[in-house]
Amino acid sequence: MSDIEPFTVPSFTPEQLALLKDKLSKPIFPNELEEDYGWDYGAPTWAVKPMVAEWLENYDWEKPRAEMNRWHHYHTTIDGLKVHFVHEPSSNPNAIPIMLLHGWPSTFYEFHKVIEPLRDGMNGGQAFHVVVPSLPGFGFSEAPKTKGHGVVKNAEILNSLMVKLGYSQYLLQGGDWGAIIGKYIATHYNTNCKAFHTGLPFCLPPLPTPRNLLFYPFKIAKFGASLLFGFDRIYGKGKLILNGATFANAEMYDGCGYRAIQGTRPYTLAYGLTDSPLGLMAWMLEKFHEWTYHPPAQRDLQALPDTISSEAFLTQVTLYWLTNTMSSSIRIYYECLKQKEMYKVIFPRVKIPVAVTAFAHDISRLPQDWLETSTDLYQYSEFESGGHFPASENPEEFAEDVQRFGKILQTKKIIQ
């Protein structure tokens, strides 16, 4: 434990701030068609230009920096990499450990609205010892130095972090890459990871395996019927959304273009995202717009939903810019694709307790039938709003759902 060192989120140096201001003050915006086609071609200039002005003229890093420094930050070295994490132990004697894992294009700051409520047992609910790491190569965590650092290696490091902190048993919550890495941890490190909470489950449909034939013959028949008559007709409209099912096939899902380039040519893309704060912000803005919930009448008219302020979004962007980690963060797509790691994630059945949230506008959704055959499903919750970043978009609903699951685990002594 002696190599766990306290860390303070830093200010910009005068040189860093001057460079950022200089670049933002001299933007060169791209050519667009005469007619406005909304977000069909990506982030339009009518959405990007006001955000550039906000970042340049109004955004003050010191405000979110003060918020972040309310929490206890640390660095520790695991497998040769310096890993950053927030650690907020609860004073509640019935608290249980939880690790919150972010994805891309996000950071540990995604959980800024729920760290303290979960630690303190919001509204008298379950309390947690909260650990929020930065994935290696993201934010204040050191970037991997060698080829091959993908899902498997991240899982090993993050489970080691929890054990190093003295949490030999814990609950893991993850979305996006946090869900992918989390699923691998849940199936390969279940001596330590005793339960898994996610909004982005990865699993197989009810195939006619010996186990499913024995326990779930009706679900197999139902899946077969869905192949003949359509998923919506059998499972209900919107119960199955497979936008994440193809890694880089834009003909099947045009929202996966970013995965194609990040998974095949991350170095080339990184020049534009590293040298240009405008390019970095626009690349992230498209996803924060596309993956979040907007009321239907507002979707094409606003860049960000009302649930995510421009300050919160720009804090995410600034964390990448300040640490120069967009280039290293996107390499996880390459490592995962080239090592075919999604097969290792999707195929195994999760044998520990699982809770799944289905927020209205997340990027994918699976029917409850599929989850029941591929996991030990304890809890399933559907929400009428929210999207891919529920801890930021719907923090109260997110925290309450985690607390409800945590209470089951604590009461049943699944986590000791």
Side-chain angles (χ1 to χ4, degrees), residues 259-289:
R259 286 200 295 262
I261 189 168
Q262 292 181 178
T264 57
R265 296 295 185 271
Y267 272 13
T268 310
L269 174 65
Y271 289 102
L273 304 184
T274 299
D275 186 62
S276 170
L278 165 60
L280 169 67
M281 184 269 288
W283 194 247
M284 292 178 64
L285 182 63
E286 180 200 310
K287 296 310 171 195
F288 272 83
H289 169 83

Side-chain angles (χ1 to χ4, degrees), residues 60-73:
D60 179 8
W61 166 251
E62 291 301 309
K63 182 179 176 183
R65 175 178 172 265
E67 177 196 15
M68 288 183 269
N69 280 328
R70 292 204 309 256
W71 317 316
H72 296 86
H73 296 254

Side-chain angles (χ1 to χ4, degrees), residues 1-205:
M1 296 285 286
S2 60
D3 70 331
I4 297 178
E5 302 173 350
F7 170 75
T8 300
V9 176
S11 298
F12 274 82
T13 66
E15 293 77 16
Q16 287 174 319
L17 188 59
L19 177 63
L20 176 61
K21 296 285 188 183
D22 181 63
K23 286 179 175 287
L24 289 175
S25 67
K26 301 171 183 176
I28 299 176
F29 291 102
N31 173 274
E32 292 184 359
L33 299 171
E34 290 182 354
E35 186 175 343
D36 178 21
Y37 288 93
W39 294 78
D40 290 355
Y41 285 79
T45 53
W46 64 256
V48 172
K49 286 181 177 179
M51 202 65 70
V52 172
E54 181 71 15
W55 199 5
L56 174 64
E57 298 167 8
N58 300 319
Y59 179 76
D60 179 8
W61 166 251
E62 291 301 309
K63 182 179 176 183
R65 175 178 172 265
E67 177 196 15
M68 288 183 269
N69 280 328
R70 292 204 309 256
W71 317 316
H72 296 86
H73 296 254
Y74 301 91
H75 273 134
T76 192
T77 300
I78 302 176
D79 287 351
L81 289 180
K82 187 174 284 191
V83 178
H84 161 257
F85 62 96
V86 172
H87 185 198
E88 286 293 308
S90 177
S91 60
N92 190 311
N94 294 317
I96 60 175
I98 187 171
M99 177 164 59
L100 304 174
L101 287 185
H102 67 85
W104 185 94
S106 191
T107 69
F108 73 95
Y109 190 71
E110 178 179 339
F111 301 102
H112 73 112
K113 296 178 182 178
V114 301
I115 290 174
E116 292 167 21
L118 289 176
R119 178 198 65 194
D120 299 337
M122 177 184 74
N123 298 328
Q126 179 63 44
F128 298 88
H129 304 302
V130 181
V131 179
V132 191
S134 294
L135 296 179
F138 289 68
F140 298 115
S141 281
E142 189 176 8
K145 305 178 183 69
T146 57
K147 188 175 183 177
H149 192 111
V151 173
V152 173
K153 193 62 181 175
N154 272 296
E156 178 186 344
I157 287 175
L158 293 166
N159 182 69
S160 295
L161 171 64
M162 293 299 284
V163 174
K164 191 172 190 177
L165 293 174
Y167 299 131
S168 59
Q169 297 184 355
Y170 62 88
L171 163 63
L172 191 155
Q173 199 291 324
D176 197 84
W177 282 108
I180 296 170
I181 297 166
K183 169 77 183 292
Y184 190 89
I185 291 174
T187 53
H188 290 78
Y189 295 96
N190 53 23
T191 301
N192 305 122
C193 179
K194 291 298 184 181
F196 181 40
H197 184 287
T198 186
L200 199 64
F202 291 87
C203 67
L204 294 172

Side-chain angles (χ1 to χ4, degrees), residues 208-221:
T209 62
R211 185 181 188 279
N212 286 345
L213 285 167
L214 179 62
F215 294 109
Y216 302 109
F218 177 72
K219 296 184 192 303
I220 294 172

